[in-house]
Amino acid sequence: MIHIKHTKLANWANFPVTNATLSTPETQEELQEYVVRQDQLIARGNGKCYGDAALGAHVVSMLNLHQLLHFDAANGIIECEAGKLLSDLLPIIVPAGWFFHVTPGIKSITVGGAIASDVHGKNHPVKGCFSNWLLSFQLLQGDGQIITCTPTQNADLFWQTCGGMGWTGIILSARFQLMRIQSTEMRQLNVRAQHLNGLFEAFEEYEAWSYAAAWVDGTAGGARFGRGAVFFANHLEDPDRQKPLAFEVKPSSNIPFFAPSWVLNPWSIRLHNAMYNAKAGKPEHQVSLDQYFYPLDRVQNWNRFYGRRGFIQYQFCLPKENAQAGMATLLHRVRNSPDTPFLSVLKRHGARPKEAIHSFPIEGYSLALDFPRTSTIARLVPILDEIVWEHGGKIYLTKDALSAPKMGRIDPNAFGEAKFCSLLKARIAQ
Ligand SMILES: Cc1cc2nc3c(=O)[nH]c(=O)nc-3n(C[C@H](O)[C@H](O)[C@H](O)COP(=O)(O)OP(=O)(O)OC[C@H]3O[C@@H](n4cnc5c(N)ncnc54)[C@H](O)[C@@H]3O)c2cc1C
């Protein structure tokens, strides 16, 4: 039976917190009936978007629709319900010699969430977004109809839905292609750079590596402005492997409660960055899939570290030709503000297929900055928005909570169904 409760709801950044009616169907039929009766609602996966995307007055949790429908282990094709978590697929696909072509830096997200945000990984120039490997999905529309979408069948709806933040309907199930792996180990190389230009140079110099993402010290100034380290990796090739493959996860620690707000202050953040920098460089070494792809998963509930007020992740992408200058301008502006980013991650992106109209990455670079939610951050975000806008960039809607409506370069009114509405959609439609 569909379970309905009134509750407070927030996503990963714990801001905003809203009052919602949360319904959790057990079957597709229950969901179908519920959707037809509702005037307005939004689907929710595991709430691992940061801002206000999976929030609204009426929210449908997809977490109980998590059946594995079919796994073609010979060809690496998987079909599952949309509420299936990537973390639940990994122990099934890895032992059979498969991994995701595209995975974000967290494994506890649903397949529906991966499609609705059209997530990217550390290999965007080579593999693109999740939609690149998506063969088909079933979409439940407001009138209860279920439509099969593929890149060639109902193609417009297919591309409106990939990166469409749940505004076209509810993804019920999906089929997608996996990639072959020979080992569960990765070869990793950490290249340290003394300044921002050095980071961009490292991305170019080591571009033959399959995966790359950089940590940037958002607190360093002077000659060390924008210093950091790029973490490159390749899958280990092991054609003569003897050992069976297994997806191994090291025991993780947990932050059991919200930290007091004084824990993260400009001084402690600077200290953390300096300590991180000291151990960031490392010659080639081996790490597990889990260590390379999901390092943040090793601390459960790390979002509580930011305290009850939560945090803001500001992630934006700039076109290649403006990226270096734009990032430098923006980071200087941040340094001159009272707000200090605790964590900053830089990634390189390749060209976007022209059909993938709502995918976040454009050819260039993206930077994600995690700020504690202070009393001043709401004044800083519009200033950052203007810098990103002037440099022809855009923000990632799945992270957004405070940006100006124009920043996603997306028109929510262009989505046919008014029924599927999140706080994000309502905010950017204003
Ligand atoms: C630590 C961390 C690291 C991350 N790293 C990356 C990264 O490297 N790359 C990246 O791209 N993203 C990254 N993300 C963001 C995350 O991958 C996306 O926000 C993802 O969409 C979350 O999936 P979810 O299942 O939790 O969906 P939710 O957060 O619940 O929802 C996200 C969006 O999907 C919609 N949605 C969810 N399920 C459905 C459905 N069945 N039908 C229709 N719409 C649906 C919701 O309405 C909402 O708009 C990261 C997040 C965290 C917390």
Side-chain angles (χ1 to χ4, degrees):
M1 209 180 70
I2 192 162
H3 181 72
I4 299 179
K5 67 173 180 180
H6 303 285
T7 184
K8 288 214 178 298
L9 214 52
N11 293 322
W12 185 245
N14 285 316
F15 173 77
V17 182
T18 56
N19 290 311
T21 305
L22 179 68
S23 44
T24 310
E26 300 288 330
T27 64
Q28 287 191 8
E29 293 69 34
E30 278 176 8
L31 174 59
Q32 224 169 339
E33 275 174 32
Y34 184 72
V35 165
V36 174
R37 287 203 315 266
Q38 284 304 120
D39 290 335
Q40 212 173 68
L41 74 167
I42 190 72
R44 179 180 181 81
N46 205 20
K48 290 292 162 53
C49 59
Y50 283 67
D52 53 3
L55 300 176
H58 295 273
V59 180
V60 176
S61 169
M62 296 298 287
L63 287 177
N64 282 352
L65 298 176
H66 57 71
Q67 303 254 12
L68 176 64
L69 301 173
H70 185 63
F71 176 33
D72 173 353
N75 296 302
I77 295 175
I78 200 140
E79 185 170 9
C80 61
E81 288 188 314
K84 191 85 177 161
L85 297 174
L86 300 189
S87 52
D88 289 339
L89 290 175
L90 284 163
I92 300 167
I93 63 171
V94 171
W98 299 99
F99 190 64
F100 305 117
H101 278 285
V102 170
T103 178
I106 178 165
K107 53 187 180 295
S108 55
I109 69 156
T110 63
V111 168
I115 298 170
S117 298
D118 202 9
V119 297
H120 62 271
K122 297 174 177 134
N123 55 352
H124 186 263
V126 194
K127 295 290 181 91
C129 285
F130 197 83
S131 57
N132 236 12
W133 307 97
L134 187 58
L135 303 171
S136 65
F137 57 79
Q138 301 283 316
L139 189 72
L140 173 61
Q141 300 235 280
D143 58 4
Q145 245 199 98
I146 297 174
I147 301 190
T148 302
C149 299
T150 79
T152 52
Q153 186 185 350
N154 298 311
D156 283 352
L157 199 49
F158 180 92
W159 290 113
Q160 286 278 359
T161 303
C162 296
M165 306 309 297
W167 302 340
T168 56
I170 301 187
I171 303 155
L172 295 175
S173 63
R175 244 177 115 239
F176 57 99
Q177 178 68 57
L178 303 168
M179 70 174 277
R180 263 271 175 238
I181 50 166
Q182 295 177 343
S183 167
T184 52
E185 294 289 295
M186 305 289 294
R187 278 191 305 122
Q188 182 174 335
L189 171 70
N190 303 355
V191 177
R192 206 148 67 157
Q194 297 308 330
H195 44 71
L196 190 63
N197 295 353
L199 277 180
F200 283 93
E201 282 159 18
F203 270 106
E204 304 285 329
E205 188 180 338
Y206 295 87
E207 69 171 352
W209 286 71
S210 307
Y211 299 94
W215 159 77
V216 186
D217 182 351
T219 62
R224 293 169 306 170
F225 171 74
R227 71 178 172 184
V230 194
F231 307 116
F232 297 98
N234 281 334
H235 289 278
L236 194 77
E237 286 170 20
D238 188 8
D240 307 319
R241 155 189 101 243
Q242 305 293 326
K243 230 176 81 183
L245 298 175
F247 184 70
E248 278 162 16
V249 179
K250 289 232 166 90
S252 51
S253 50
N254 183 21
I255 302 208
F257 42 74
F258 287 100
S261 56
W262 51 261
V263 169
L264 286 185
N265 57 59
W267 187 85
S268 65
I269 294 175
R270 248 177 245 122
L271 181 68
H272 162 264
N273 276 275
M275 283 163 55
Y276 196 86
N277 181 59
K279 54 173 192 154
K282 203 168 175 187
E284 258 187 72
H285 55 290
Q286 264 178 232
V287 294
S288 69
L289 289 172
D290 196 54
Q291 282 169 310
Y292 183 73
F293 288 104
Y294 312 113
L296 290 170
D297 286 357
R298 270 180 282 161
V299 184
Q300 284 175 46
N301 300 312
W302 60 257
N303 53 345
R304 291 183 182 159
F305 199 53
Y306 288 89
R308 281 193 190 282
R309 298 191 67 188
F311 65 108
I312 297 294
Q313 182 174 103
Y314 190 81
Q315 184 169 15
F316 63 99
C317 196
L318 297 183
K320 196 165 63 178
E321 58 281 12
N322 293 342
Q324 209 162 327
M327 302 254 169
T329 306
L330 189 135
L331 282 173
H332 276 300
R333 189 64 192 78
V334 169
R335 271 181 51 73
N336 291 330
S337 80
D339 288 288
T340 312
F342 179 66
L343 187 68
S344 313
V345 176
L346 180 68
K347 285 187 210 149
R348 187 168 182 238
H349 299 285
R352 181 170 61 168
K354 68 173 186 340
E355 315 80 43
I357 40 176
H358 299 318
S359 299
F360 160 67
I362 45 179
E363 185 167 14
Y365 285 84
S366 71
L367 183 65
L369 303 164
D370 286 7
F371 295 97
R373 193 169 74 84
T374 58
S375 54
T376 46
I377 191 70
R379 287 202 291 278
L380 179 63
V381 168
I383 296 170
L384 304 186
D385 281 349
E386 277 315 305
I387 297 172
V388 172
W389 186 258
E390 279 163 17
H391 288 85
K394 58 190 291 213
I395 54 141
Y396 195 5
L397 291 176
T398 208
K399 309 289 178 74
D400 178 36
L402 290 174
S403 277
K406 65 182 184 189
M407 293 308 298
R409 296 189 188 264
I410 197 167
D411 175 10
N413 298 316
F415 292 83
E417 297 235 18
K419 186 176 263 195
F420 299 101
C421 186
S422 59
L423 291 190
L424 169 71
K425 184 182 186 183
R427 183 164 57 82
I428 70 173
Q430 276 166 16

